Amino acid sequence: MKAEAKSLRFLGEGKKLSVPFFQRNYVWNQDNWHELIETFENAEIMPFLGSIILKEDSSQESTIIDGQQRLTTITILAKAIYDSLSDESKQPGSGIRHAIESFLFYRKNAADDFKDSLVRIEHSQLDRKDYSRVISAGVLKEDDIVDLDTIDSNSGNILRCYKYYREVLEPLDDKSLKDLFNSMFNESRKVFVLIELQHGDINEQTIFDTINRAGMRLSTADIIKNNLFKHLLEACGEDEARKQTVIDEYKNCWESVFYPTMAVSDMWDEERVFGNVKHSNLEFLLYCVACIKWGEDGDMFSRLENVFEKSTEKMGYFELLTLIAEIKEYALIFKKYVLEFSISLNDESANEYFKYEEGVRRLMLILQKFGVQMFYPYVLKRLKEVNQNENDTQLLFDFSVLESFVMRRKVANKGTHDYTSKCYQITQNGITYLIGSDLAKSEAGISDAEIKLFLANTKDETAKMILFWIELYRRKGNAFDERALEYRYTLEHIMPKKWKTYWSDVPVKTTTGEEVSATTEAGITEREGHIQSLGNKTLLTCNLNSAVKNAAFMDKIDGQGENKPGYKRHTSLLLTKELVEQSAKDPVWDESHIREREQNLAAEFITLWPTFSEYAPKASCDELDGSILDGITAEELADPVKLVNAII
């Protein structure tokens, strides 16, 4: 290994520089581009760009171990300067033309003509096409130009970087452009430390990790990926066939999954929030894999790269290949059931319909909308075990138990602080751990009696989810033509939050049956205590006009003319139709009606999300005997009442 302060003129020393196949793609953004050009604009101040690590592969080629983001940006800036010059200043034979040919291209043989040259930096597959085009256009490929008008926010970062620099440089005259170019490639300006590792040097990863950890340039996912494929290459020894297999597996199991297009790459890079910490989707996937394979009852996220390193350091060639293939399998499941499902839910133009009988999708909607993420390792594990067969009897049972646990905990406002621990337990010991530890345990605070109390004061997002699945449960079977609905409904308070304007003349009905004036302190307190009850909420296909929303009960039912419709225009939903039919018999809505409806909905809630205590194993933490589900049909699994009757 040797280290030496260098200027950017080292690019003209003749070697091809290649980006390892497993390194991340080009990710620098406008803030980075702006900062880089600023470092060169002041010729009086010596910039320092850190270290560049190269590993010698042969006398003519080196691998970029660290520094591809900087070198890529520097060369794009140099090409943008050249392309911004007048035609007269960049004629063949001119000084800057000669510099561009020397710094950005290389020739395999000394006697080769320039037309036989190659782009000096060879990028990994995702960025190779864009980078090569930017560098070659108008020089190696004289008839080609990069049309800036075709580059937009959907283009790759390579093209966007080039366009950014062209636009920044546009006001400069030729002298200013050449001054900037000279500032970059001045031999006396040693702008970075070049660390060159000789062929066979074993210190590359130690140096690489140390520099990147200090500079915080690599993500946890990058470090894990790099270490995995580095270990794989080491496990190949001198076997060239195995080395080629590793490259092929990278393309098949990593590049094709995480980087096939910029849009997919961005999707995996998108961050998820975990408390006060953010992790990318790819990091979360790797966390899920670690939980499934080496899970422990503790915080793995903060030391995820160490968990992978420790767990894989003694793995051999075939074990590592198997692990990478598993990561791909889990990634495809995660992409389908979590990432793409989330995108579809949030897409106004997408039509994501749900049926009650679809137990897997039912659980996934609940987890997505409630932001419950820490059970995904278990979900991925079970989906993989059944080859994504969404009708698997045991899978439907397991997911029904998890669904009941999540719904009851949500209603009871118990929080999610222990979900990581719960996920570890069910991943290791099976879903019946939740029956013994929570669902069938009175001390857990989510019993039927307690759920009924909690439903008297439900948060709106929770109420919306409950009512949506109650609506679909009522539609299951063949009695209804429309059995599938989208989760796009509006939650409506029947007695409005702003009730005092139009509802003060409606007497307050206390739990003892007494009538109290709604203008007294006792009456106001009693009424306010019923507003957030599940019994006072319903679903509508869209928001009511604000005047109707706060109007008297029958005005809400009938509406106020054609342009201000009421509930009668929303009777496509059974929940709303029921209210309209009730209003025809009793045109009053007060606390007694809220309590009665609350009790009815609570009974349905307990039916849909039971405690499963009727068939919990005697030893609460023992795994449920698989034979107990023998002979149970998918139809029975989809209906908790039928399921309980079939088992007992």
Side-chain angles (χ1 to χ4, degrees):
M1 179 188 79
K2 62 178 181 179
E4 184 180 358
K6 286 274 192 177
S7 76
L8 288 176
R9 282 180 174 261
F10 97 96
L11 287 168
E13 293 176 359
K15 282 191 174 184
K16 171 187 175 182
L17 303 177
S18 61
V19 178
F21 67 88
F22 54 78
Q23 274 200 26
R24 64 179 172 176
N25 57 302
Y26 181 70
V27 296
W28 270 23
N29 56 35
Q30 185 169 320
D31 290 340
N32 305 117
W33 307 332
H34 176 72
E35 183 179 357
L36 183 77
I37 195 172
E38 273 196 330
T39 64
F40 294 115
E41 285 177 333
N42 189 338
E44 303 301 319
I45 299 176
M46 176 76 76
F48 180 64
L49 302 179
S51 60
I52 303 291
I53 305 177
L54 304 180
K55 182 175 180 181
E56 181 184 80
D57 297 318
S58 68
S59 60
Q60 290 190 322
E61 183 172 351
S62 290
T63 296
I64 303 173
I65 301 300
D66 180 50
Q68 68 134 321
Q69 305 290 325
R70 282 164 290 161
L71 289 176
T72 299
T73 311
I74 287 165
T75 51
I76 292 174
L77 173 56
K79 183 56 165 44
I81 293 173
Y82 174 81
D83 289 342
S84 299
L85 288 166
S86 65
D87 291 341
E88 183 180 354
S89 292
K90 56 185 180 182
Q91 291 292 325
S94 64
I96 197 166
R97 173 69 177 240
H98 176 75
I100 285 291
E101 291 177 356
S102 174
F103 298 150
L104 305 190
F105 302 89
Y106 77 98
R107 307 178 192 188
K108 287 185 177 181
N109 304 299
D112 285 350
D113 293 332
F114 178 72
K115 64 181 178 61
D116 299 317
S117 297
L118 300 171
V119 174
R120 183 170 302 283
I121 298 177
E122 182 179 79
H123 264 276
S124 54
Q125 193 64 39
L126 184 63
D127 294 319
R128 186 176 301 167
K129 181 179 178 181
D130 286 348
Y131 180 77
S132 179
R133 185 177 178 211
V134 165
I135 300 301
S136 299
V139 180
L140 190 60
K141 298 181 179 180
E142 294 188 10
D143 296 332
D144 189 20
I145 61 168
V146 178
D147 185 354
L148 300 182
D149 291 337
T150 64
I151 302 173
D152 55 27
S153 59
N154 295 317
S155 302
N157 281 8
I158 296 279
L159 292 173
R160 290 169 55 215
C161 175
Y162 176 72
K163 181 176 182 177
Y164 171 79
Y165 282 140
R166 287 294 307 275
E167 291 176 343
V168 168
L169 298 170
E170 186 177 10
L172 303 185
D173 58 24
D174 282 9
K175 181 181 182 305
S176 299
L177 291 168
K178 288 180 180 180
D179 287 345
L180 178 58
F181 191 88
N182 289 332
S183 174
M184 292 174 62
F185 291 97
N186 189 325
E187 177 60 31
S188 66
R189 292 163 69 84
K190 312 296 184 183
V191 296
F192 62 88
V193 174
L194 179 64
I195 300 173
E196 294 183 279
L197 306 176
Q198 306 305 308
H199 187 64
D201 194 325
I202 62 173
N203 296 319
E204 62 186 272
Q205 195 65 35
T206 301
I207 297 169
F208 179 58
D209 287 350
T210 300
I211 290 173
N212 276 288
R213 290 173 205 276
M216 297 181 67
R217 292 196 298 273
L218 277 189
S219 69
T220 296
D222 286 326
I223 292 172
I224 290 171
K225 174 198 62 178
N226 290 354
N227 285 340
L228 277 176
F229 284 96
K230 173 181 173 291
H231 290 331
L232 246 181
L233 287 173
E234 290 173 348
C236 293
E238 298 301 317
D239 190 326
E240 294 300 324
R242 283 191 173 185
K243 289 181 181 179
Q244 184 58 50
T245 298
V246 172
I247 295 173
D248 293 341
E249 285 302 291
Y250 174 78
K251 293 178 179 178
N252 177 53
C253 292
W254 207 279
E255 192 174 82
S256 67
V257 175
F258 302 115
Y259 316 129
T261 65
M262 189 58 66
V264 172
S265 178
D266 289 344
M267 180 176 67
W268 285 107
D269 285 340
E270 188 176 338
E271 291 183 322
R272 307 174 75 86
V273 179
F274 300 85
N276 296 322
V277 181
K278 293 181 179 180
H279 294 282
S280 70
N281 283 321
L282 178 51
E283 287 170 354
F284 184 46
L285 167 73
L286 294 172
Y287 164 79
C288 291
V289 173
C291 285
I292 294 166
K293 296 191 69 64
W294 316 300
E296 55 188 69
D297 195 355
D299 178 25
M300 293 177 65
F301 235 148
S302 62
R303 49 193 178 81
L304 188 59
E305 63 192 72
N306 293 328
V307 171
F308 265 87
E309 183 65 16
K310 181 179 178 181
S311 301
T312 61
E313 61 184 354
K314 294 183 180 179
M315 285 187 179
Y317 174 77
F318 291 107
E319 289 176 293
L320 288 166
L321 282 180
T322 299
L323 172 60
I324 290 169
E326 283 186 283
I327 291 174
K328 174 184 178 179
E329 189 172 357
Y330 283 122
L332 295 177
I333 296 172
F334 187 83
K335 181 171 178 277
K336 174 183 176 181
Y337 287 92
V338 180
L339 301 184
E340 293 177 344
F341 181 62
S342 176
I343 291 170
S344 183
L345 281 177
N346 296 321
D347 185 352
E348 292 287 337
S349 63
N351 297 314
E352 196 72 45
Y353 286 92
F354 297 89
K355 292 182 180 179
Y356 181 81
E357 297 89 341
E358 297 171 332
V360 174
R361 285 166 53 75
R362 195 170 66 230
L363 173 65
M364 298 314 295
L365 177 68
I366 290 168
L367 296 181
Q368 282 275 2
K369 289 299 182 180
F370 286 169
V372 176
Q373 306 181 89
M374 301 318 291
F375 284 113
Y376 282 139
Y378 174 76
V379 170
L380 298 184
K381 176 177 182 285
R382 291 296 292 117
L383 285 168
K384 179 177 179 291
E385 288 173 342
V386 301
N387 296 316
Q388 301 180 52
N389 177 9
E390 297 183 17
N391 295 316
D392 182 87
T393 302
Q394 187 67 51
L395 178 76
L396 290 171
F397 173 80
D398 294 349
F399 280 12
S400 293
V401 174
L402 178 56
E403 186 184 321
S404 278
F405 171 81
V406 171
M407 288 298 296
R408 284 174 175 256
R409 285 284 295 261
K410 185 70 174 178
V411 168
N413 296 314
K414 295 295 183 183
T416 61
H417 61 280
D418 58 347
Y419 279 12
T420 300
S421 173
K422 299 290 187 186
C423 182
Y424 165 77
Q425 292 294 343
I426 62 176
T427 301
Q428 299 297 313
N429 304 312
I431 197 65
T432 53
Y433 170 84
L434 287 183
I435 299 176
S437 67
D438 290 85
L439 288 171
K441 188 176 182 180
S442 58
E443 296 91 332
I446 55 174
S447 66
D448 288 351
E450 287 163 308
I451 289 299
K452 290 177 180 178
L453 294 175
F454 285 122
L455 289 175
N457 184 23
T458 55
K459 294 181 179 179
D460 288 353
E461 63 163 338
T462 307
K464 180 180 176 181
M465 184 66 71
I466 294 169
L467 293 172
F468 180 73
W469 287 113
I470 286 177
E471 175 75 25
L472 281 171
Y473 181 72
R474 293 180 179 184
R475 292 169 177 269
K476 71 182 183 64
N478 298 319
F480 293 88
D481 293 334
E482 193 174 10
R483 295 165 53 206
L485 301 175
E486 293 183 271
Y487 191 72
R488 297 191 185 278
Y489 297 100
T490 299
L491 189 78
E492 165 73 3
H493 291 74
I494 304 167
M495 180 182 288
K497 293 179 181 179
K498 298 178 181 180
W499 56 268
K500 292 182 180 179
T501 303
Y502 297 105
W503 293 65
S504 293
D505 59 343
V506 179
V508 174
K509 288 286 185 70
T510 67
T511 54
T512 60
E514 296 178 88
E515 286 192 0
V516 180
S517 171
T519 60
T520 64
E521 184 175 345
I524 292 172
T525 300
E526 181 78 19
R527 177 150 292 176
E528 292 287 353
H530 284 74
I531 295 297
Q532 284 299 117
S533 167
L534 183 65
N536 189 48
K537 297 176 180 180
T538 191
L539 298 179
L540 300 178
T541 53
C542 62
N543 278 317
L544 293 180
N545 179 276
S546 58
V548 177
K549 190 179 187 70
N550 297 313
F553 179 58
M554 288 309 298
D555 285 339
K556 296 188 74 169
I557 295 291
D558 296 328
Q560 296 177 355
E562 186 66 25
N563 296 325
K564 297 180 181 179
Y567 288 9
K568 286 184 177 179
R569 290 272 290 273
H570 294 269
T571 53
S572 60
L573 291 176
L574 301 178
L575 288 164
T576 314
K577 182 180 181 181
E578 182 181 66
L579 289 169
V580 172
E581 290 175 347
Q582 180 179 330
S583 69
K585 302 174 184 176
D586 185 354
V588 176
W589 186 260
D590 57 24
E591 288 71 22
S592 63
H593 294 84
I594 293 173
R595 288 190 293 270
E596 180 182 0
R597 187 166 179 268
E598 176 191 304
Q599 291 172 4
N600 294 334
L601 292 173
E604 287 185 273
F605 179 100
I606 290 168
T607 297
L608 303 193
W609 296 290
T611 63
F612 294 91
S613 58
E614 294 89 341
Y615 44 92
K618 293 180 181 179
S620 61
C621 290
D622 288 345
E623 191 168 355
L624 187 63
D625 184 356
S627 64
I628 199 169
L629 295 178
D630 288 350
I632 303 300
T633 66
E635 180 184 358
E636 290 165 337
L637 259 297
D639 188 334
V641 176
K642 291 181 180 179
L643 178 61
V644 172
N645 291 334
I647 292 176
I648 62 175

